[in-house]
PDB file of all heavy atoms in Angstrom:
ATOM      1  N   LYS A 217      -1.319 -15.897  31.865  1.00 98.00           N
ATOM      2  CA  LYS A 217      -2.500 -16.761  31.816  1.00 98.00           C
ATOM      3  C   LYS A 217      -3.026 -16.871  30.380  1.00 98.00           C
ATOM      4  O   LYS A 217      -3.436 -17.941  29.927  1.00 98.00           O
ATOM      5  CB  LYS A 217      -3.591 -16.221  32.740  1.00 98.00           C
ATOM      6  CG  LYS A 217      -3.251 -16.302  34.218  1.00 98.00           C
ATOM      7  CD  LYS A 217      -4.384 -15.775  35.076  1.00 98.00           C
ATOM      8  CE  LYS A 217      -3.996 -15.728  36.558  1.00 98.00           C
ATOM      9  NZ  LYS A 217      -3.623 -17.045  37.106  1.00 98.00           N
ATOM     10  N   ALA A 218      -3.008 -15.743  29.667  1.00 98.00           N
ATOM     11  CA  ALA A 218      -3.475 -15.738  28.283  1.00 98.00           C
ATOM     12  C   ALA A 218      -2.585 -16.612  27.401  1.00 98.00           C
ATOM     13  O   ALA A 218      -3.074 -17.387  26.574  1.00 98.00           O
ATOM     14  CB  ALA A 218      -3.510 -14.311  27.755  1.00 98.00           C
ATOM     15  N   THR A 219      -1.274 -16.492  27.583  1.00 95.00           N
ATOM     16  CA  THR A 219      -0.337 -17.267  26.773  1.00 95.00           C
ATOM     17  C   THR A 219      -0.480 -18.760  27.049  1.00 95.00           C
ATOM     18  O   THR A 219      -0.431 -19.585  26.117  1.00 95.00           O
ATOM     19  CB  THR A 219       1.104 -16.807  27.050  1.00 95.00           C
ATOM     20  OG1 THR A 219       1.223 -15.416  26.709  1.00 95.00           O
ATOM     21  CG2 THR A 219       2.097 -17.605  26.237  1.00 95.00           C
ATOM     22  N   LYS A 220      -0.673 -19.136  28.296  1.00 96.00           N
ATOM     23  CA  LYS A 220      -0.874 -20.543  28.629  1.00 96.00           C
ATOM     24  C   LYS A 220      -2.141 -21.066  27.972  1.00 96.00           C
ATOM     25  O   LYS A 220      -2.144 -22.160  27.384  1.00 96.00           O
ATOM     26  CB  LYS A 220      -0.949 -20.710  30.150  1.00 96.00           C
ATOM     27  CG  LYS A 220      -1.183 -22.151  30.596  1.00 96.00           C
ATOM     28  CD  LYS A 220      -1.237 -22.242  32.113  1.00 96.00           C
ATOM     29  CE  LYS A 220      -1.582 -23.654  32.579  1.00 96.00           C
ATOM     30  NZ  LYS A 220      -1.659 -23.730  34.069  1.00 96.00           N
ATOM     31  N   TRP A 221      -3.221 -20.302  28.031  1.00 97.00           N
ATOM     32  CA  TRP A 221      -4.486 -20.709  27.417  1.00 97.00           C
ATOM     33  C   TRP A 221      -4.336 -20.842  25.898  1.00 97.00           C
ATOM     34  O   TRP A 221      -4.854 -21.780  25.289  1.00 97.00           O
ATOM     35  CB  TRP A 221      -5.562 -19.689  27.779  1.00 97.00           C
ATOM     36  CG  TRP A 221      -6.896 -19.919  27.144  1.00 97.00           C
ATOM     37  CD1 TRP A 221      -7.783 -20.914  27.428  1.00 97.00           C
ATOM     38  CD2 TRP A 221      -7.507 -19.109  26.130  1.00 97.00           C
ATOM     39  NE1 TRP A 221      -8.913 -20.782  26.647  1.00 97.00           N
ATOM     40  CE2 TRP A 221      -8.764 -19.685  25.847  1.00 97.00           C
ATOM     41  CE3 TRP A 221      -7.111 -17.970  25.454  1.00 97.00           C
ATOM     42  CZ2 TRP A 221      -9.629 -19.138  24.892  1.00 97.00           C
ATOM     43  CZ3 TRP A 221      -7.966 -17.427  24.510  1.00 97.00           C
ATOM     44  CH2 TRP A 221      -9.214 -18.006  24.238  1.00 97.00           C
ATOM     45  N   LEU A 222      -3.592 -19.933  25.282  1.00 96.00           N
ATOM     46  CA  LEU A 222      -3.330 -20.026  23.841  1.00 96.00           C
ATOM     47  C   LEU A 222      -2.562 -21.297  23.511  1.00 96.00           C
ATOM     48  O   LEU A 222      -2.866 -21.980  22.524  1.00 96.00           O
ATOM     49  CB  LEU A 222      -2.540 -18.806  23.374  1.00 96.00           C
ATOM     50  CG  LEU A 222      -3.281 -17.473  23.305  1.00 96.00           C
ATOM     51  CD1 LEU A 222      -2.296 -16.333  23.056  1.00 96.00           C
ATOM     52  CD2 LEU A 222      -4.328 -17.498  22.203  1.00 96.00           C
ATOM     53  N   LEU A 223      -1.578 -21.621  24.327  1.00 94.00           N
ATOM     54  CA  LEU A 223      -0.763 -22.808  24.085  1.00 94.00           C
ATOM     55  C   LEU A 223      -1.612 -24.071  24.106  1.00 94.00           C
ATOM     56  O   LEU A 223      -1.400 -24.981  23.289  1.00 94.00           O
ATOM     57  CB  LEU A 223       0.355 -22.906  25.127  1.00 94.00           C
ATOM     58  CG  LEU A 223       1.244 -24.162  25.027  1.00 94.00           C
ATOM     59  CD1 LEU A 223       1.985 -24.176  23.702  1.00 94.00           C
ATOM     60  CD2 LEU A 223       2.230 -24.207  26.196  1.00 94.00           C
ATOM     61  N   PHE A 224      -2.573 -24.149  24.992  1.00 96.00           N
ATOM     62  CA  PHE A 224      -3.407 -25.343  25.084  1.00 96.00           C
ATOM     63  C   PHE A 224      -4.236 -25.555  23.820  1.00 96.00           C
ATOM     64  O   PHE A 224      -4.650 -26.671  23.532  1.00 96.00           O
ATOM     65  CB  PHE A 224      -4.321 -25.258  26.311  1.00 96.00           C
ATOM     66  CG  PHE A 224      -3.688 -25.822  27.550  1.00 96.00           C
ATOM     67  CD1 PHE A 224      -2.561 -25.231  28.108  1.00 96.00           C
ATOM     68  CD2 PHE A 224      -4.197 -26.966  28.166  1.00 96.00           C
ATOM     69  CE1 PHE A 224      -1.969 -25.749  29.248  1.00 96.00           C
ATOM     70  CE2 PHE A 224      -3.611 -27.501  29.293  1.00 96.00           C
ATOM     71  CZ  PHE A 224      -2.482 -26.889  29.842  1.00 96.00           C
ATOM     72  N   GLN A 225      -4.457 -24.501  23.067  1.00 96.00           N
ATOM     73  CA  GLN A 225      -5.200 -24.635  21.813  1.00 96.00           C
ATOM     74  C   GLN A 225      -4.297 -24.815  20.605  1.00 96.00           C
ATOM     75  O   GLN A 225      -4.647 -25.506  19.643  1.00 96.00           O
ATOM     76  CB  GLN A 225      -6.070 -23.389  21.603  1.00 96.00           C
ATOM     77  CG  GLN A 225      -7.136 -23.237  22.674  1.00 96.00           C
ATOM     78  CD  GLN A 225      -7.780 -21.874  22.631  1.00 96.00           C
ATOM     79  OE1 GLN A 225      -8.694 -21.651  21.846  1.00 96.00           O
ATOM     80  NE2 GLN A 225      -7.321 -20.959  23.457  1.00 96.00           N
ATOM     81  N   LEU A 226      -3.103 -24.234  20.658  1.00 94.00           N
ATOM     82  CA  LEU A 226      -2.210 -24.237  19.497  1.00 94.00           C
ATOM     83  C   LEU A 226      -1.078 -25.242  19.602  1.00 94.00           C
ATOM     84  O   LEU A 226      -0.303 -25.387  18.647  1.00 94.00           O
ATOM     85  CB  LEU A 226      -1.624 -22.835  19.300  1.00 94.00           C
ATOM     86  CG  LEU A 226      -2.643 -21.745  18.964  1.00 94.00           C
ATOM     87  CD1 LEU A 226      -1.965 -20.378  18.947  1.00 94.00           C
ATOM     88  CD2 LEU A 226      -3.313 -22.017  17.624  1.00 94.00           C
ATOM     89  N   ALA A 227      -0.965 -25.945  20.715  1.00 93.00           N
ATOM     90  CA  ALA A 227       0.137 -26.891  20.907  1.00 93.00           C
ATOM     91  C   ALA A 227       0.286 -27.885  19.756  1.00 93.00           C
ATOM     92  O   ALA A 227       1.418 -28.187  19.350  1.00 93.00           O
ATOM     93  CB  ALA A 227      -0.032 -27.634  22.230  1.00 93.00           C
ATOM     94  N   VAL A 294      -8.486 -12.140  23.378  1.00 97.00           N
ATOM     95  CA  VAL A 294      -7.231 -12.784  23.764  1.00 97.00           C
ATOM     96  C   VAL A 294      -6.617 -13.567  22.606  1.00 97.00           C
ATOM     97  O   VAL A 294      -5.428 -13.406  22.290  1.00 97.00           O
ATOM     98  CB  VAL A 294      -7.444 -13.706  24.980  1.00 97.00           C
ATOM     99  CG1 VAL A 294      -6.141 -14.432  25.331  1.00 97.00           C
ATOM    100  CG2 VAL A 294      -7.925 -12.895  26.174  1.00 97.00           C
ATOM    101  N   PHE A 295      -7.412 -14.411  21.959  1.00 97.00           N
ATOM    102  CA  PHE A 295      -6.867 -15.232  20.886  1.00 97.00           C
ATOM    103  C   PHE A 295      -6.589 -14.380  19.648  1.00 97.00           C
ATOM    104  O   PHE A 295      -5.473 -14.372  19.120  1.00 97.00           O
ATOM    105  CB  PHE A 295      -7.846 -16.353  20.531  1.00 97.00           C
ATOM    106  CG  PHE A 295      -7.240 -17.459  19.703  1.00 97.00           C
ATOM    107  CD1 PHE A 295      -7.047 -18.722  20.230  1.00 97.00           C
ATOM    108  CD2 PHE A 295      -6.860 -17.229  18.387  1.00 97.00           C
ATOM    109  CE1 PHE A 295      -6.486 -19.740  19.463  1.00 97.00           C
ATOM    110  CE2 PHE A 295      -6.305 -18.236  17.606  1.00 97.00           C
ATOM    111  CZ  PHE A 295      -6.117 -19.493  18.144  1.00 97.00           C
ATOM    112  N   ASN A 296      -7.612 -13.667  19.179  1.00 95.00           N
ATOM    113  CA  ASN A 296      -7.469 -12.920  17.928  1.00 95.00           C
ATOM    114  C   ASN A 296      -6.647 -11.639  18.095  1.00 95.00           C
ATOM    115  O   ASN A 296      -5.645 -11.446  17.394  1.00 95.00           O
ATOM    116  CB  ASN A 296      -8.840 -12.591  17.349  1.00 95.00           C
ATOM    117  CG  ASN A 296      -9.669 -13.824  17.054  1.00 95.00           C
ATOM    118  OD1 ASN A 296     -10.817 -13.930  17.460  1.00 95.00           O
ATOM    119  ND2 ASN A 296      -9.106 -14.787  16.354  1.00 95.00           N
ATOM    120  N   TYR A 298      -5.006 -10.123  21.036  1.00 96.00           N
ATOM    121  CA  TYR A 298      -3.752 -10.223  21.778  1.00 96.00           C
ATOM    122  C   TYR A 298      -2.784 -11.187  21.098  1.00 96.00           C
ATOM    123  O   TYR A 298      -1.598 -10.875  20.917  1.00 96.00           O
ATOM    124  CB  TYR A 298      -4.041 -10.672  23.211  1.00 96.00           C
ATOM    125  CG  TYR A 298      -2.806 -10.884  24.045  1.00 96.00           C
ATOM    126  CD1 TYR A 298      -1.947  -9.835  24.316  1.00 96.00           C
ATOM    127  CD2 TYR A 298      -2.505 -12.146  24.565  1.00 96.00           C
ATOM    128  CE1 TYR A 298      -0.796 -10.028  25.080  1.00 96.00           C
ATOM    129  CE2 TYR A 298      -1.370 -12.343  25.327  1.00 96.00           C
ATOM    130  CZ  TYR A 298      -0.513 -11.292  25.588  1.00 96.00           C
ATOM    131  OH  TYR A 298       0.616 -11.484  26.344  1.00 96.00           O
ATOM    132  N   GLY A 299      -3.301 -12.347  20.691  1.00 94.00           N
ATOM    133  CA  GLY A 299      -2.446 -13.303  19.992  1.00 94.00           C
ATOM    134  C   GLY A 299      -1.874 -12.709  18.725  1.00 94.00           C
ATOM    135  O   GLY A 299      -0.710 -12.930  18.373  1.00 94.00           O
ATOM    136  N   LYS A 302       0.965 -10.235  19.566  1.00 95.00           N
ATOM    137  CA  LYS A 302       2.164 -10.956  20.000  1.00 95.00           C
ATOM    138  C   LYS A 302       3.022 -11.337  18.803  1.00 95.00           C
ATOM    139  O   LYS A 302       4.257 -11.363  18.877  1.00 95.00           O
ATOM    140  CB  LYS A 302       1.775 -12.235  20.759  1.00 95.00           C
ATOM    141  CG  LYS A 302       1.351 -12.025  22.205  1.00 95.00           C
ATOM    142  CD  LYS A 302       0.794 -13.312  22.791  1.00 95.00           C
ATOM    143  CE  LYS A 302       1.849 -14.384  22.948  1.00 95.00           C
ATOM    144  NZ  LYS A 302       2.784 -14.117  24.073  1.00 95.00           N
ATOM    145  N   LEU A 479       6.041 -18.500  19.092  1.00 70.00           N
ATOM    146  CA  LEU A 479       4.970 -18.079  18.200  1.00 70.00           C
ATOM    147  C   LEU A 479       5.448 -17.237  17.019  1.00 70.00           C
ATOM    148  O   LEU A 479       4.633 -16.707  16.272  1.00 70.00           O
ATOM    149  CB  LEU A 479       3.910 -17.298  18.996  1.00 70.00           C
ATOM    150  CG  LEU A 479       3.082 -18.118  19.985  1.00 70.00           C
ATOM    151  CD1 LEU A 479       2.119 -17.221  20.741  1.00 70.00           C
ATOM    152  CD2 LEU A 479       2.319 -19.239  19.281  1.00 70.00           C
TER     153      LEU A 479
END
Side-chain angles (χ1 to χ4, degrees):
K217 292 181 185 301
T219 300
K220 179 180 175 181
W221 176 71
L222 288 170
L223 177 63
F224 271 65
Q225 296 168 83
L226 296 174
V294 177
F295 195 111
N296 300 129
Y298 177 62
K302 281 172 68 74
L479 291 178

